[in-house]
Amino acid sequence: MLTPEENELLTRVGPGTPMGLLMRAYWLPALLSTELPEADGKPLRLRLLGEHLLAFRDSDGSVGVIGEHCAHRGASLYYGRNEKCGMRCVYHGWKYDRSGQCVDMPSEPPESTFKDKIKLAGYPPPERSGMVWVYMGPLAEPPALPALEWAMLPRDQSHISKRVQQANWAQVLEGGIDSSHGGFLHSMLDNANMSGKQRRGYMFHQVDTHPRYEIVDTAYGSVIGARRSVEGKYYWRIYQFLMPFYTMIPPYADLALGGHAFVPRDDETTIVWTATWHPARPLQEGVDERHSAPGTHGIHVTDFLPPSPEADGAWFPRASRANDYFLDWAKQKTERMSGIPGVPIQDAAMQESMGAIYDRSNEHLGASDAAIIHVRRRWLRLAKALASGEQPALPGIDCAPAYNVRSAGVMLDTDQPWFEAAQKWLQAEAGVLQESV
Ligand code: FES
Ligand SMILES: [Fe+2]
């Protein structure tokens, strides 16, 4: 449990907040490149860390992410003219380049230098392997982009999607490092009825429903081992937590790996980025189930509300509290634990039902919450240091290559040191996937 003050510290990410400062020290995934398909095309509203932003692809094909509202009198640049390497406000014609700098001010006399003093928030972003990233921090020279395997592979080996979830980022992320819910929320009533290569691992979830946790801190975050006793051995499901908001889910057999980035949209909503990737071959529909549709064990949402012009308006799932997340109450009795179709929607239903910002002074944490307790402590230590004006060393900054790791599900003898024994699974080796259980 946290005190109400700690809960505030953990969950608030707007400009000037301690957690907001921490988040702004890191790169944030902002867009899929395909969301801005053409130079001088239609712009997009997006929200990151509570800031109202506008993304556009300029005449040169480069992406800009700038404050949405014109510095003159606040009209939305969403309605602006995307022309000649800038967004021009259609109210009085002020124009901004992709760094947010005002470059033209036709409403002022030609000799005026007023425009030189006007700059919106601007985060001219790089694109890598189909994703647009932004750095919203204070450094003139930002750190290197994190070497996440899923964000660097050829497009046919990595499938990346996003969705908006109506809950605070930490609440959503905590589900991503909580192995014990897999044996319940995401399970069939009897996982022996499952098919596919993940069946054996899924069955182990139900053989031992109370994993013991061991956690090792690394330069970039923490490695979380969840240990289950099965068949006279230990079945280790090993998760990665990478600062500030990435997790990796242990794979099954030789199937694709899965991971998330839980990017704070504002205090009460999160952009859940989801990646499925296979280091050794192109993804195969129907084989890599994590890649596939709702109702399976896939981790991507594919069914969205009709797109709206609001921020991130293409990424609101159709399944929501308003329709009970399509919970089938009959199937809950006969087939699966939750009755809700689809792993990500099962997560969303639980995490949104806690309220947008759960008051953690009401919770009762047990042994199965060890990873959550550990990671929270790490965040809070850093946020408290930032709040008191210190400059703490931030994990993951200045070690971008260290992000090139994986999660794993491995069977080990009971006397084997798990972290050392699992290294060949955990270090990403180009073109090779060590088989999990
Ligand atoms: S409000 Fe944009 S130019 Fe006046
Ligand atoms: Fe989950």
Side-chain angles (χ1 to χ4, degrees):
M1 112 181 198
L2 299 181
T3 64
E5 295 73 31
E6 286 174 326
N7 206 41
E8 284 287 297
L9 202 57
L10 181 67
T11 54
R12 304 287 172 186
V13 293
T17 60
M19 195 51 79
L21 290 173
L22 182 60
M23 291 292 172
R24 283 168 177 78
Y26 295 88
W27 284 98
L28 312 177
L31 295 167
L32 294 164
S33 295
T34 50
E35 292 181 72
L36 293 171
E38 57 185 13
D40 289 340
K42 189 176 166 215
L44 277 177
R45 290 185 173 109
L46 73 157
R47 195 160 303 152
L48 282 172
L49 305 181
E51 295 187 30
H52 295 249
L53 301 171
L54 187 84
F56 64 101
R57 194 178 289 282
D58 74 9
S59 318
D60 293 339
S62 302
V63 176
V65 174
I66 63 175
E68 181 193 337
H69 294 279
C70 180
H72 179 214
R73 283 178 21 223
S76 175
L77 294 168
Y78 174 73
Y79 305 108
R81 300 178 60 83
N82 185 1
E83 61 187 12
K84 295 190 181 144
C85 282
M87 283 301 303
R88 188 183 292 283
C89 179
V90 289
Y91 205 174
H92 315 92
W94 291 21
K95 181 180 171 188
Y96 304 88
D97 69 12
R98 73 185 200 102
S99 75
Q101 178 63 48
C102 184
V103 291
D104 193 20
M105 209 175 256
S107 59
E108 293 295 306
E111 67 277 12
S112 166
T113 56
F114 188 29
K115 72 174 189 317
D116 302 340
K117 301 189 184 73
I118 301 294
K119 187 173 184 307
L120 294 172
Y123 312 107
E127 289 182 87
R128 182 181 69 180
S129 298
M131 286 174 71
V132 176
W133 297 75
V134 293
Y135 171 75
M136 297 167 70
L139 301 178
E141 198 55 48
L145 282 169
L148 293 153
E149 187 174 43
W150 57 262
M152 300 191 302
L153 281 171
R155 302 308 314 281
D156 62 347
Q157 286 177 245
S158 179
H159 177 69
I160 301 169
S161 70
K162 57 196 272 207
R163 65 186 164 89
V164 176
Q165 192 167 319
Q166 312 272 357
N168 175 262
W169 72 277
Q171 199 162 306
V172 184
L173 189 146
E174 285 171 358
I177 54 172
D178 151 25
S179 182
S180 67
H181 84 273
F184 214 86
L185 177 66
H186 301 315
S187 283
M188 312 300 282
L189 289 180
D190 183 352
N191 282 341
N193 294 331
M194 282 179 68
S195 58
K197 290 182 174 179
Q198 66 275 62
R199 179 171 175 268
R200 186 162 174 241
Y202 258 83
M203 282 174 64
F204 290 164
H205 281 283
Q206 288 180 328
V207 173
D208 181 345
T209 59
H210 44 87
R212 309 286 159 89
Y213 286 89
E214 291 186 23
I215 299 150
V216 177
D217 281 340
T218 62
Y220 56 82
S222 304
V223 180
I224 298 159
R227 188 187 89 198
R228 291 177 169 84
S229 296
V230 290
E231 299 179 351
K233 293 194 162 213
Y234 285 154
Y235 175 45
W236 288 94
R237 289 189 59 74
I238 304 174
Y239 294 71
Q240 296 278 2
F241 163 68
L242 308 99
M243 282 289 285
F245 45 50
Y246 303 97
T247 63
M248 292 180 187
I249 314 156
Y252 296 97
D254 60 353
L255 299 173
L257 295 128
H260 291 295
F262 300 101
V263 181
R265 183 172 178 269
D266 52 25
D267 292 347
E268 301 199 340
T269 58
T270 303
I271 303 281
V272 180
W273 286 79
T274 301
T276 298
W277 74 103
H278 202 295
R281 60 164 170 78
L283 295 171
Q284 294 167 12
E285 197 63 46
V287 174
D288 300 304
E289 293 217 46
R290 291 174 179 281
H291 184 201
S292 50
T296 69
H297 294 279
I299 57 174
H300 297 271
V301 167
T302 54
D303 189 14
F304 294 95
L305 291 169
S308 89
E310 293 308 326
D312 314 295
W315 305 110
F316 286 78
R318 211 156 61 83
S320 71
R321 183 182 174 94
N323 49 35
D324 283 345
Y325 303 90
F326 302 124
L327 196 162
D328 183 327
W329 302 91
K331 283 199 174 144
Q332 194 187 59
K333 290 250 184 286
T334 56
E335 212 173 277
R336 63 181 81 187
M337 285 294 177
S338 70
I340 295 169
V343 167
I345 298 300
Q346 292 159 7
D347 283 324
M350 295 304 102
Q351 292 152 7
E352 292 179 357
S353 75
M354 296 156 73
I357 301 181
Y358 178 59
D359 178 356
R360 290 171 174 76
S361 66
N362 289 327
E363 66 190 3
H364 299 82
L365 299 181
S368 69
D369 300 303
I372 291 172
I373 294 166
H374 183 93
V375 169
R376 264 187 209 171
R377 277 207 198 108
R378 241 178 142 187
W379 282 324
L380 284 172
R381 252 199 318 271
L382 293 166
K384 283 176 183 169
L386 288 166
S388 60
E390 293 169 35
Q391 306 253 305
L394 301 180
I397 302 288
D398 298 332
C399 65
Y403 279 71
N404 197 18
V405 290
R406 296 177 187 155
S407 51
V410 298
M411 292 288 265
L412 297 175
D413 292 333
T414 55
D415 59 354
Q416 268 182 293
W418 67 279
F419 183 67
E420 291 75 13
Q423 280 305 308
K424 78 168 175 179
W425 282 268
L426 299 180
Q427 294 304 320
E429 184 185 351
V432 178
L433 178 68
Q434 301 289 343
E435 199 159 322
S436 276
V437 174

